[in-house]
Amino acid sequence: MYDFKRDTRFAGIRPFEEKVWLSSPTMHGDEMKYMKEAYETNWMSTVGVNLSEIEKEIAEKVGVKYGVALSSGTAAMHLAVKLAAKRLYGSSTGTHTPSGKGCGGALFGKRVFCSDMTFDATVNPVVYEGGEPVFIDSEYDTWNMSPEALEKAFHIYPDVKLVIFAHLYGVPGKMEAITEICRRHGALLVEDAAESLGASYKGLQTGSFGDYNGISFNGNKIITGSSGGMFLTNHLEDAGKCRKWSTQSREEAPWYQHEEIGYNYRMSNVIAGVVRGQTPYLEEHIQQKKRIYERYQKGLSGLPVCLNPFDGENSEPNYWLTAMLIDKEAMASQVRGEREVLWKTEPGCSTPTEILEALECFHAEGRPVWKPMHMQPIYRNHGFITAKRKECVSSDIFQRGLCLPSDNKMDIKTQERIIDIIYRCFE
Ligand SMILES: *Cc1c(COP(=O)(O)O)cnc(C)c1O
């Protein structure tokens, strides 16, 4: 690895004494209280008051009727996708029923439109259910799924009935346009709000626009249970179905009776105690993250870069991660293979790779933006729809973008030092 400490541009820069994280858990004390309560009352399994409390609280916060606490955001997305498939296609394609053998999946042979630039947990559940993701390009305005590209996709594949939409880095997508397009084409919407809990679009919270939605309490999210997730919906019957599937689909019978395939996806009451201790601090975390974003915006204003944008008139992000995009003219050479990258430094220019490696060298953690799904080896032969011919927004953002250290415990001095390192990369 290139040694930035010996590079004259970085003369006098000291490594951080304590590692600066991208986004690490921030505990407040009550988490321990609720975990201890679970312990002392011996509600140490997947039933208990912590679970029912957070289901009520989070559903209320997001503005949906029902929440089901699950072992991960991925589990929430899986059951959301499965419920959507069930509603759309019934059990005619699914073979998780006594009538079929094996697990063809509830989406067997069906195409599903999915966000392209996201974590693969957004789209993998489609494949778990035998479906075929077709990726929809991002837009520059929010980095989320482009409504224009989605509209085009419906003209190319008019039979598609399901859209999986992720809000990247806490920035809400253009939900008015997206929900309108879905409605007009008779498609259901599943929202992946794993990164955007607390963010809103036109006064409505992300996670409330879709028919079935998922959020995550993974360790690096805006609030955390150390792990965990939640399924959200307004449909009473489907919330019950989700709960049943998540606890191995036991029927009401004196013995273990199974009439559907089940999963062990329920959250533990101990984990729910951590989440319960965190929920009162969601707004505080958002405010801290917002100040981090604003300090980067001000601090980096002298460089040929911009931050991950949002529609300030209609949306309020949760600012989970601040990401940065280098202007095209200010990009030095950077060639990415499947697992390695080659890069050069050039005066006045830089690359995500150079900045990430410089940060790492001084003990700070950044991250490349999500590598688009259409570029991933597992999904490379899948459909991919862009708004304009010959313009691919997601791969361009991947080439020029990176996530900056956005830990809410990062103090101002530390952030100033990070900004200084980024400046020196452009020298
Ligand atoms: C974190 C994340 C998930 C998955 O959540 P887990 O709780 O880690 O399973 C899904 N989608 C997106 C966009 C995420 O960032």
Side-chain angles (χ1 to χ4, degrees), residues 332-345:
S333 308
Q334 168 189 264
V335 180
R336 281 174 167 153
E338 218 46 81
R339 297 191 187 182
E340 297 99 9
V341 53
L342 297 172
W343 60 279
K344 262 192 335 198
T345 181

Side-chain angles (χ1 to χ4, degrees), residues 31-90:
E31 299 86 353
M32 193 56 114
K33 184 180 97 187
Y34 292 123
M35 280 164 75
K36 201 154 161 265
E37 219 169 86
Y39 182 91
E40 282 165 353
T41 56
N42 205 34
W43 289 101
M44 293 296 284
S45 72
T46 51
V47 185
V49 64
N50 288 333
L51 283 163
S52 44
E53 276 304 310
I54 65 162
E55 286 179 343
K56 208 174 68 198
E57 265 177 45
I58 298 280
E60 208 164 281
K61 164 74 196 169
V62 176
V64 297
K65 289 192 187 138
Y66 311 103
V68 181
L70 300 173
S71 54
S72 69
T74 309
M77 289 305 294
H78 184 190
L79 297 187
V81 164
K82 205 173 144 98
L83 278 160
K86 179 175 178 292
R87 184 151 137 217
L88 287 167
Y89 307 114

Side-chain angles (χ1 to χ4, degrees), residues 278-343:
Q278 289 263 291
T279 48
Y281 296 93
L282 174 59
E283 288 311 318
E284 184 180 307
H285 288 189
I286 293 173
Q287 288 314 311
Q288 290 164 341
K289 298 271 192 181
K290 183 175 181 178
R291 284 195 288 274
I292 289 168
Y293 183 97
E294 288 169 349
R295 285 200 289 270
Y296 274 129
Q297 188 149 54
K298 195 150 163 257
L300 297 170
S301 61
L303 288 176
V305 304
C306 65
L307 300 188
N308 52 330
F310 60 90
D311 174 359
E313 227 165 87
N314 295 308
S315 72
E316 185 59 39
N318 73 0
Y319 302 93
W320 174 55
L321 292 187
T322 300
M324 177 185 119
L325 193 68
I326 300 174
D327 290 356
K328 281 195 175 114
E329 303 74 44
M331 276 288 288
S333 308
Q334 168 189 264
V335 180
R336 281 174 167 153
E338 218 46 81
R339 297 191 187 182
E340 297 99 9
V341 53
L342 297 172
W343 60 279

Side-chain angles (χ1 to χ4, degrees), residues 284-416:
E284 184 180 307
H285 288 189
I286 293 173
Q287 288 314 311
Q288 290 164 341
K289 298 271 192 181
K290 183 175 181 178
R291 284 195 288 274
I292 289 168
Y293 183 97
E294 288 169 349
R295 285 200 289 270
Y296 274 129
Q297 188 149 54
K298 195 150 163 257
L300 297 170
S301 61
L303 288 176
V305 304
C306 65
L307 300 188
N308 52 330
F310 60 90
D311 174 359
E313 227 165 87
N314 295 308
S315 72
E316 185 59 39
N318 73 0
Y319 302 93
W320 174 55
L321 292 187
T322 300
M324 177 185 119
L325 193 68
I326 300 174
D327 290 356
K328 281 195 175 114
E329 303 74 44
M331 276 288 288
S333 308
Q334 168 189 264
V335 180
R336 281 174 167 153
E338 218 46 81
R339 297 191 187 182
E340 297 99 9
V341 53
L342 297 172
W343 60 279
K344 262 192 335 198
T345 181
E346 294 165 28
C349 297
S350 189
T351 54
T353 307
E354 179 179 27
I355 296 168
L356 289 170
E357 290 191 6
L359 289 172
E360 191 184 334
C361 187
F362 295 105
H363 223 176
E365 185 187 31
R367 193 160 74 183
V369 295
W370 298 123
K371 179 170 175 173
M373 290 300 121
H374 82 273
M375 297 169 73
Q376 299 286 359
I378 44 167
Y379 288 125
R380 200 167 279 159
N381 56 356
H382 286 237
F384 173 54
I385 314 288
T386 60
K388 297 197 185 84
R389 275 182 56 175
K390 294 187 186 162
E391 185 186 74
C392 175
V393 176
S394 62
S395 44
D396 179 40
I397 294 173
F398 176 58
Q399 180 70 6
R400 298 191 285 125
L402 69 146
C403 299
L404 299 172
S406 306
D407 196 52
N408 52 355
K409 294 171 293 312
M410 177 171 66
D411 60 31
I412 297 178
K413 276 255 146 37
T414 304
Q415 195 175 350
E416 280 169 354

Side-chain angles (χ1 to χ4, degrees), residues 72-74 118-119 121-122 166 192 194-195 216-218 221 228 320 370:
S72 69
T74 309
T118 183
F119 187 34
T122 308
D192 181 349
E195 301 179 359
S216 167
F217 302 115
N218 190 343
K221 298 295 183 339
W320 174 55
W370 298 123

Side-chain angles (χ1 to χ4, degrees), residues 253-264:
W255 43 79
Y256 279 80
Q257 173 83 2
H258 300 292
E259 297 173 12
E260 291 177 287
I261 286 292
Y263 302 87
N264 182 5

